[in-house]
Amino acid sequence: MSNTPIRVTIWNEFIHEREHAAVSAIYPDGIHAVLAAALKSHLGDAVAIRTATLDEPEHGLTENLLAETDVLTWWGHAAHERVADEIVDRVQARVLEGMGLLTLHSAHASKIFRRLMGTGCMLRWREAAERERLWIVCPGHPIVEGLKGECFELPHTEMYGEFFDIPAPDELIFVSWFEGGEVFRSGCTFRRGKGKVFYFRPGHETFPIYHEANVQRVIANAVRWAAPSGSAYFGEGRNIPQSLSPISSKHTVDESLHRAK
Amino acid sequence: MSNTPIRVTIWNEFIHEREHAAVSAIYPDGIHAVLAAALKSHLGDAVAIRTATLDEPEHGLTENLLAETDVLTWWGHAAHERVADEIVDRVQARVLEGMGLLTLHSAHASKIFRRLMGTGCMLRWREAAERERLWIVCPGHPIVEGLKGECFELPHTEMYGEFFDIPAPDELIFVSWFEGGEVFRSGCTFRRGKGKVFYFRPGHETFPIYHEANVQRVIANAVRWAAPSGSAYFGEGRNIPQSLSPISSKHTVDESLHRAK
Amino acid sequence: MSNTPIRVTIWNEFIHEREHAAVSAIYPDGIHAVLAAALKSHLGDAVAIRTATLDEPEHGLTENLLAETDVLTWWGHAAHERVADEIVDRVQARVLEGMGLLTLHSAHASKIFRRLMGTGCMLRWREAAERERLWIVCPGHPIVEGLKGECFELPHTEMYGEFFDIPAPDELIFVSWFEGGEVFRSGCTFRRGKGKVFYFRPGHETFPIYHEANVQRVIANAVRWAAPSGSAYFGEGRNIPQSLSPISSKHTVDESLHRAK
Amino acid sequence: MSNTPIRVTIWNEFIHEREHAAVSAIYPDGIHAVLAAALKSHLGDAVAIRTATLDEPEHGLTENLLAETDVLTWWGHAAHERVADEIVDRVQARVLEGMGLLTLHSAHASKIFRRLMGTGCMLRWREAAERERLWIVCPGHPIVEGLKGECFELPHTEMYGEFFDIPAPDELIFVSWFEGGEVFRSGCTFRRGKGKVFYFRPGHETFPIYHEANVQRVIANAVRWAAPSGSAYFGEGRNIPQSLSPISSKHTVDESLHRAK
C-alpha cells in the first residue's frame, strides 16, 4: 500500500554450491544470488534485497539486520545443526513480532521451522529426478497470483512425500503429485504471533528449480503476502490490575499470596 | 471402543499447595488429587489414573511412565523454568507419537505448551475474583458433551484476556467473557504429530475451580477425546529409493553428490 | 460411550444397479446393501442399520426416519436433480441439529453436499481404471483407526482431481495420488451446526470399491466419528432482553422503532 | 499492486432510513451513502464506488454491474426475504469466481450469507445500548491494519451473542465482549470458491456505528483484503479423458455404461 520497498533478506547456508561442481554449475554464486535476482526481476523497486549466509558472523543475521528485515527467506540443507540456537531464538522473536518467513525445500528440517511448528517436520524423500506437478487448491490466494492453469510442472525433482509431520496449515495452497507415487502438501501458510510463515517445497541443489519461472513467481508473490501487516503485536504478558469495566463480584483476594508470586 | 481403561497421568508442579495456607485449604492433597478424584468420579473404570509431581526424580515423568500414559494433564504455575528440558523433549516426543495432552490454566506458560505451539503463549491477566462465563462455540464437539445451556459460569476467577499468543487453534470450543471487560479463547484444540492437545483455561490455586462440576466434566470429556486414536505415527524421516510407481523421467542423478550427503 | 447402538441410515439413489448389468454384477442388491453388510461386519451391535432409496415415498427420508437417524450415508450419481428440495431442507436441518452425514464419491455433486458447503463442489474426473493411492495426512484422527501403512491403494478407480471446489475442510484426512497425474483431497471433515460431515472420495458403480477392506474400515470409523456428540444445539435465533450482567451504559433506545421491527 | 482502482459496490436494503425518523437522523441519505463516503475518505483513488439498493430493478445488481464489481458490501435487515433468489444465485456465482463480499451486521441473516455458509447463521441479540469491545485475536491480519491498541470500543450497540451458527471461520479476527454478559465472533473470514468473504458484526440503524472511525477503517481494510487475487477460478467440472502421465493399469472399462452417462 505504501511506496516503501519490502526489505527482504535471503539467507542461504551456502555449502553445497562451494563443495560440489554439479551444484556450482547451476548456482555459481549461490542459491541466494539466484533468488535475489529472481525477486528483483519480479518485484523491481517494490523490494530492497540483502543476503546473508551461514559462515558470516552471527550467520549474517545480526539484531540490526533482522530489525530491518520485513521478509526473511531460508534455505539450508547440510548444516541445520550448525545454526546457533541464539540466532534461532532471534529469528523466532522477529517472526512473532511480524517479520515474514519463507522456508524453502529442505528448510523443512531447519531449526527455525521446527521451532515455529512444534513438531518434527520430517517427511519421505527420494532423489530419482522424477516429474512433479503442483496443483493449486486455493485459487483465490495472493500466493498463486498470475499462475496459468490448474497446476504447474517441474520435470526433474527430488520427491518429498507424506506424511509431512507439521501442524495442519492455516491455508493449504499447493498439493504435489510425484511420478513415483507420492503426494505432498507443498505450499502451506502458518501464522505465528503477528508473523506469516510460508513453507514452499520446490527447490534443490542439483536440479535447477530456482531458475523455473513459476517457482520464482510463487516466491515473489509470497514475499508480498508475508510482508508485515496488521496492528501492533501484543505478545508480551501483562497484568491489568485496573479493569476496563466495573467488577461487582465480592470475594476476598488473599493479597499475601499475590505478593508471594 | 475397547474396554481397556485410558491410562491418565496427572502432573502437578505441587508448590502452592504446600507453601500457602489459602491454597492448601482448597487443595489439601494438591490439585492433582482433586483432579484424580474428579476423573475417577466422572469416568470410573474407563480410566486408570496416576499422578506425578515436579519434585519427584525426573519430575515423575520417566520413560516408562510416559510410555504407559495415554493422556497427560499438566498443571504448573510457579516453577515452569524448573522443568528440565530433557523431560520436555520426552513429553513432546510422546505427544507426537500420539499421547494426549491437556494443559490447564497457567500451563499456557509451561515449557511443553510453548514448545508445541512455537509461539510465546503469553496473555493478559488480573486477579480480582471476577465473574467468568464460558460460551460454547462448537456445540457438536465431544468435549462439551453433557453441558447444559449455552454457557456456564464461574463466580470468582482470575481473568485471562486476549491477545493470547497461540497459533490459530484447530478447533475453538469455548470463548470466555469476563466481568472486567476482556474475552479469551478458553478451550482450544491442536493436533501435533499424532497427538491431540487441549488447552483449557479454567483453574487457579486460590479459587476452587477444580471443584466445579462443569469444569470437571469438560476435563473428563477431554480425556476421552485426547486418548490415542488413528493409524500408526509416521513421524520419522525416511528415504524411499524404490518408487511405488514406475518413473520414466530421464535425468542423470549425480551419485557422488548423494553419497556426500 | 453408551451401549445404545448408533442408528445409521444408508441412502442410495439405486439407479445404476438396476439399469446396467456391469453394475448389478458388482452390487446385485444395490450399493446400499453392500455398505449395510460392511458396516454390520465392522461394527456389529454398535450399529442399527436401515436403508432408504430415491424411489421410495419422500425418498425414504421421512421426518420420522431422520429423527431416528444418528448418521446418514449418501450415495447418488445419476439423479441428483430428482431429489426434492424439501427433502434436502429436511436433511440439512437434521445435520445442523447434530446428525452425522457421510457423503460418498459422486455425492460431491449432490444437492445436500452443495447446500452444506455453499460452493459448487465440482472437480476434474476421468474413467480410465487407473491406480489410486490414498495417503494419510492426519494420522491421529479416529477416521484412520486401524489402517496399516502410510497409504492404501485401490488398483482401478475413476480419477477425481483438483481443483475440488469446496471450502477449506476443517480437517484434511486423506490426499489421493492418481496414476494419470492428478491429486485430490479425498477425505475431508466439516462441521455444520452441531453436525459432522465427512466427504470420502472412494466409490464407483463399476469398480468394486465398496468391497475393499480399507474403504469399508474408513466408512465404519467415520460412522463412529460422525455420531452425535456435544451439548444441545443452539441454532435458533433468540432475543435476550434481560441481560445476564448489569448494563450501566446510558442511552435512550427508541422503543417505537423496536416495535416496528 | 496495480494502479487500477478496486471497484466497490455498496448494497443497502434502504428501508429503515426512509421509514423511521430516528434512522434517517443518523443516515439521511442511507447507510450506503455513509459507507461510500467512508471508503472514499479512507481509500481515495484506490477505489471506485457505486451503490445499489433493494428497490431498484434487479435490486440494482445487474449482471453487468456484478461483472464490474471487485468487492460487494451487503447491508440488510428488514427485508431479507424480498431479495430474489435469482439475484442471490448471481451474487453467489460471482463470489465463487472471485468477487469479495463483506457482510455487515444484520446481513448474518441475509440469503446470500446463509447460502455461502450452509448453516442457519442465527445468533442471540439484545437492544439495550450496551458497551461493546472488539478484541483483536489475529494481530498480523491486514484487516486490522492501523488499529491502535488491543481492542476498540463502541459505547452503545445492539448485542449479538454466541452461539453464532456459522462454520468455523477460516480466520477469526475479532471477538466481542458485551457489557450484558455475552461474547461474539465479530470478525470472521471465509473463502468460497475463489472469493473472499468477511463477516463484520458492527453496525446498526439507530446507533451511529458506521460513523465510527475504527469501524470505517476495518471495512476499508477489508475492501483491500477481499479484492480479487490469485490464479484463474477452476470451479467448473471437467472430464479429462487424456491423462497427463501414462496409465499402465490394465482394466476393461465398460464403454456402454459410460455412454449411458
Side-chain angles (χ1 to χ4, degrees):
Chain A
M1 301 180 196
S2 88
N3 294 319
T4 316
I6 301 169
R7 299 164 302 173
V8 180
T9 298
I10 298 175
W11 192 87
N12 183 12
E13 117 191 334
F14 197 30
I15 291 180
H16 293 314
E17 300 96 320
R18 294 183 298 172
E19 296 188 352
H20 296 283
V23 182
S24 66
I26 300 170
Y27 300 111
D29 302 312
I31 282 174
H32 52 297
V34 170
L35 288 173
L39 290 181
K40 201 67 200 170
S41 157
H42 278 78
L43 298 172
D45 292 345
V47 285
I49 297 173
R50 289 193 280 196
T51 63
T53 57
L54 181 68
D55 286 346
E56 297 174 46
E58 305 180 52
H59 313 322
L61 299 172
T62 61
E63 288 281 7
N64 279 348
L65 182 84
L66 285 174
E68 294 171 354
T69 297
D70 294 316
V71 179
L72 177 68
T73 77
W74 194 275
W75 203 94
H77 180 219
H80 294 312
E81 290 311 308
R82 285 179 46 203
V83 176
D85 286 341
E86 65 184 287
I87 303 300
V88 177
D89 294 345
R90 193 184 281 175
V91 174
Q92 180 185 22
R94 276 291 293 143
V95 169
L96 299 182
E97 285 171 17
M99 182 183 73
L101 177 68
L102 312 187
T103 45
L104 302 176
H105 188 62
S106 42
H108 74 86
S110 63
K111 285 184 177 180
I112 182 60
F113 188 62
R114 297 170 75 169
R115 175 79 66 85
L116 288 163
M117 297 296 107
T119 57
C121 301
M122 290 297 107
L123 45 80
R124 317 280 160 273
W125 76 91
R126 177 174 54 240
E127 298 200 70
E130 70 204 88
R131 188 177 302 279
E132 174 182 9
R133 266 184 216 99
L134 291 104
W135 290 90
I136 297 171
V137 299
C138 193
H141 202 284
I143 282 179
V144 298
E145 186 81 33
L147 292 182
K148 307 301 181 200
E150 296 149 303
C151 69
F152 70 89
E153 207 168 294
L154 298 172
H156 302 291
T157 66
E158 179 185 16
M159 182 279 290
Y160 275 11
E162 296 285 346
F163 173 64
F164 183 19
D165 189 13
I166 50 171
D170 292 339
E171 297 165 315
L172 181 61
I173 314 288
F174 292 106
V175 174
S176 283
W177 175 96
F178 290 95
E179 196 180 359
E182 284 86 359
V183 297
F184 196 72
R185 288 169 291 172
S186 279
C188 298
T189 76
F190 306 90
R191 293 179 182 279
R192 291 295 180 270
K194 189 171 119 74
K196 306 184 199 83
V197 179
F198 180 54
Y199 174 78
F200 190 44
R201 196 208 86 79
H204 197 251
E205 61 278 6
T206 57
F207 304 123
I209 303 293
Y210 295 125
H211 292 279
E212 292 275 346
N214 286 320
V215 171
Q216 292 183 358
R217 177 178 292 274
V218 169
I219 297 173
N221 289 341
V223 163
R224 283 195 189 272
W225 169 82
S229 61
S231 67
Y233 172 53
F234 313 113
E236 81 294 358
R238 198 148 63 84
N239 189 3
I240 315 285
Q242 197 59 42
S243 68
L244 303 170
S245 290
I247 295 175
S248 58
S249 302
K250 294 286 174 278
H251 192 84
T252 303
V253 176
D254 178 345
E255 303 232 339
S256 71
L257 178 62
H258 292 172
R259 278 197 301 273
K261 291 162 62 179
Chain B
M1 302 182 196
S2 90
N3 295 319
T4 317
I6 301 169
R7 299 164 301 175
V8 180
T9 298
I10 299 176
W11 192 85
N12 183 11
E13 110 190 341
F14 197 29
I15 290 179
H16 293 313
E17 301 96 320
R18 296 183 299 173
E19 297 189 351
H20 295 283
V23 182
S24 65
I26 301 171
Y27 299 111
D29 301 312
I31 283 175
H32 52 297
V34 171
L35 288 174
L39 290 181
K40 202 67 199 170
S41 157
H42 278 79
L43 298 172
D45 292 344
V47 285
I49 297 174
R50 289 193 279 197
T51 62
T53 57
L54 181 68
D55 285 346
E56 298 173 46
E58 306 180 50
H59 313 322
L61 299 173
T62 61
E63 288 279 8
N64 279 348
L65 182 84
L66 286 175
E68 294 171 355
T69 297
D70 294 317
V71 179
L72 177 68
T73 76
W74 194 276
W75 203 94
H77 181 219
H80 295 312
E81 290 311 308
R82 285 179 46 202
V83 176
D85 286 340
E86 64 184 289
I87 304 300
V88 177
D89 294 344
R90 192 183 282 175
V91 174
Q92 179 186 23
R94 277 291 292 143
V95 170
L96 298 182
E97 284 171 17
M99 182 183 74
L101 178 69
L102 312 188
T103 46
L104 302 175
H105 189 62
S106 43
H108 74 87
S110 64
K111 284 184 176 178
I112 182 61
F113 188 63
R114 297 171 74 169
R115 175 78 67 83
L116 288 163
M117 296 296 106
T119 57
C121 301
M122 291 297 107
L123 46 79
R124 317 281 160 273
W125 77 91
R126 176 175 53 241
E127 296 199 72
E130 70 204 87
R131 188 176 302 278
E132 173 182 9
R133 266 184 216 101
L134 291 103
W135 291 90
I136 297 172
V137 298
C138 193
H141 202 284
I143 283 179
V144 299
E145 187 80 32
L147 292 182
K148 307 300 181 202
E150 297 148 303
C151 68
F152 69 89
E153 207 167 293
L154 298 172
H156 301 292
T157 66
E158 178 185 16
M159 183 280 289
Y160 276 10
E162 297 284 347
F163 173 65
F164 184 18
D165 189 14
I166 49 171
D170 292 339
E171 297 165 314
L172 181 61
I173 314 288
F174 292 107
V175 174
S176 282
W177 175 96
F178 290 95
E179 196 180 359
E182 285 85 359
V183 297
F184 196 71
R185 289 170 290 172
S186 279
C188 298
T189 77
F190 306 89
R191 294 179 182 278
R192 291 295 181 268
K194 188 169 120 72
K196 307 184 199 80
V197 178
F198 180 54
Y199 174 78
F200 190 43
R201 194 207 89 77
H204 197 250
E205 62 277 6
T206 56
F207 304 123
I209 303 292
Y210 296 124
H211 293 279
E212 292 274 347
N214 286 320
V215 171
Q216 293 183 358
R217 178 178 291 273
V218 169
I219 297 173
N221 289 342
V223 163
R224 283 196 189 270
W225 169 82
S229 61
S231 66
Y233 172 53
F234 313 114
E236 81 295 358
R238 198 150 62 85
N239 189 4
I240 315 286
Q242 198 59 40
S243 67
L244 303 171
S245 290
I247 294 174
S248 58
S249 301
K250 296 283 174 283
H251 191 84
T252 303
V253 176
D254 178 346
E255 303 229 339
S256 71
L257 178 61
H258 294 171
R259 277 196 301 273
K261 289 163 62 178
Chain C
M1 303 182 195
S2 89
N3 295 319
T4 316
I6 301 169
R7 299 164 301 173
V8 180
T9 298
I10 299 176
W11 192 86
N12 183 11
E13 118 192 333
F14 198 29
I15 291 179
H16 293 314
E17 301 96 320
R18 296 183 298 173
E19 296 188 351
H20 295 282
V23 182
S24 66
I26 300 171
Y27 299 111
D29 300 313
I31 282 175
H32 53 297
V34 170
L35 288 173
L39 290 181
K40 202 66 200 169
S41 158
H42 278 79
L43 298 173
D45 291 345
V47 286
I49 297 173
R50 289 193 280 197
T51 62
T53 58
L54 181 68
D55 285 347
E56 297 173 46
E58 305 181 51
H59 312 322
L61 299 173
T62 60
E63 288 280 7
N64 279 348
L65 182 84
L66 286 175
E68 294 170 354
T69 297
D70 294 316
V71 179
L72 177 67
T73 76
W74 193 275
W75 203 94
H77 181 218
H80 294 312
E81 289 311 308
R82 285 178 47 203
V83 176
D85 286 341
E86 64 184 288
I87 303 300
V88 177
D89 294 345
R90 192 184 283 176
V91 174
Q92 179 185 24
R94 276 291 293 143
V95 170
L96 299 181
E97 284 171 16
M99 182 182 74
L101 178 67
L102 312 187
T103 46
L104 302 175
H105 188 64
S106 43
H108 75 86
S110 63
K111 284 184 177 179
I112 181 60
F113 188 63
R114 297 170 74 170
R115 175 78 66 84
L116 288 162
M117 296 295 107
T119 57
C121 301
M122 291 297 108
L123 45 80
R124 316 282 159 269
W125 76 90
R126 174 174 57 240
E127 296 198 73
E130 70 203 88
R131 188 176 303 277
E132 173 181 9
R133 265 183 217 101
L134 290 103
W135 290 90
I136 297 171
V137 299
C138 193
H141 202 283
I143 283 179
V144 299
E145 186 81 33
L147 292 182
K148 308 299 180 200
E150 297 149 300
C151 68
F152 69 89
E153 207 167 294
L154 298 172
H156 302 291
T157 66
E158 179 185 15
M159 182 280 289
Y160 275 11
E162 296 285 344
F163 176 62
F164 183 20
D165 189 13
I166 51 171
D170 292 340
E171 297 165 313
L172 181 61
I173 314 288
F174 292 107
V175 175
S176 283
W177 175 96
F178 290 95
E179 196 180 1
E182 284 86 358
V183 298
F184 196 72
R185 288 171 290 173
S186 278
C188 298
T189 77
F190 306 89
R191 293 180 183 278
R192 290 294 180 270
K194 189 170 119 73
K196 306 185 199 81
V197 178
F198 180 54
Y199 174 79
F200 189 43
R201 195 209 86 79
H204 197 250
E205 61 277 8
T206 58
F207 303 124
I209 303 293
Y210 294 125
H211 292 279
E212 293 274 347
N214 286 319
V215 171
Q216 292 182 359
R217 178 178 293 273
V218 169
I219 297 173
N221 289 341
V223 163
R224 282 197 190 269
W225 169 81
S229 61
S231 67
Y233 171 54
F234 312 114
E236 80 296 357
R238 199 150 61 85
N239 188 4
I240 315 286
Q242 197 59 40
S243 68
L244 303 170
S245 290
I247 294 174
S248 59
S249 302
K250 294 285 175 281
H251 191 86
T252 303
V253 176
D254 177 345
E255 304 230 339
S256 71
L257 178 61
H258 293 171
R259 277 196 301 274
K261 289 161 64 182
Chain D
M1 303 182 197
S2 88
N3 294 318
T4 315
I6 301 169
R7 299 163 302 175
V8 180
T9 299
I10 299 175
W11 192 86
N12 183 11
E13 119 191 332
F14 197 30
I15 291 179
H16 292 314
E17 301 97 319
R18 295 182 299 172
E19 296 188 351
H20 295 282
V23 182
S24 65
I26 300 170
Y27 300 111
D29 301 312
I31 283 176
H32 53 297
V34 170
L35 288 173
L39 290 181
K40 202 67 199 169
S41 157
H42 278 78
L43 297 172
D45 291 345
V47 285
I49 297 172
R50 290 192 279 197
T51 63
T53 57
L54 180 68
D55 286 345
E56 298 174 44
E58 307 180 49
H59 313 322
L61 299 173
T62 61
E63 288 280 8
N64 279 347
L65 182 84
L66 285 175
E68 294 171 355
T69 297
D70 294 316
V71 179
L72 176 68
T73 76
W74 194 275
W75 203 94
H77 181 219
H80 294 311
E81 290 311 309
R82 283 178 49 203
V83 176
D85 286 340
E86 63 183 290
I87 303 300
V88 177
D89 294 344
R90 193 184 280 175
V91 173
Q92 179 185 23
R94 277 290 293 143
V95 169
L96 298 182
E97 285 171 16
M99 182 182 74
L101 178 68
L102 311 188
T103 45
L104 302 175
H105 189 62
S106 44
H108 75 87
S110 64
K111 284 184 176 180
I112 182 61
F113 188 64
R114 298 171 73 170
R115 175 79 66 84
L116 288 163
M117 295 296 106
T119 57
C121 301
M122 292 297 107
L123 45 80
R124 317 280 160 270
W125 77 90
R126 175 174 56 240
E127 297 198 72
E130 71 203 86
R131 188 176 303 277
E132 174 182 8
R133 267 183 215 100
L134 291 103
W135 291 90
I136 297 172
V137 299
C138 193
H141 202 284
I143 283 178
V144 299
E145 187 81 33
L147 292 182
K148 308 299 180 202
E150 297 150 301
C151 70
F152 70 89
E153 208 166 294
L154 298 172
H156 301 291
T157 66
E158 179 186 16
M159 183 280 289
Y160 276 11
E162 296 284 346
F163 175 63
F164 183 20
D165 189 13
I166 50 171
D170 292 338
E171 297 165 314
L172 181 60
I173 314 289
F174 293 106
V175 174
S176 282
W177 175 97
F178 290 94
E179 196 179 0
E182 285 86 358
V183 298
F184 196 73
R185 289 170 290 173
S186 278
C188 298
T189 77
F190 306 89
R191 294 179 181 278
R192 290 296 180 268
K194 189 170 118 72
K196 306 184 200 81
V197 178
F198 180 54
Y199 175 78
F200 189 44
R201 196 209 86 80
H204 197 251
E205 63 277 8
T206 58
F207 304 123
I209 303 291
Y210 295 125
H211 292 280
E212 292 275 346
N214 286 319
V215 171
Q216 292 183 358
R217 178 178 292 272
V218 169
I219 297 173
N221 288 342
V223 162
R224 283 196 190 271
W225 169 81
S229 61
S231 67
Y233 172 53
F234 313 114
E236 81 293 358
R238 198 150 61 85
N239 189 4
I240 315 285
Q242 197 60 41
S243 69
L244 303 170
S245 290
I247 294 174
S248 59
S249 302
K250 295 285 174 281
H251 191 85
T252 303
V253 177
D254 177 346
E255 304 229 339
S256 71
L257 177 62
H258 293 169
R259 277 196 302 274
K261 290 161 62 180

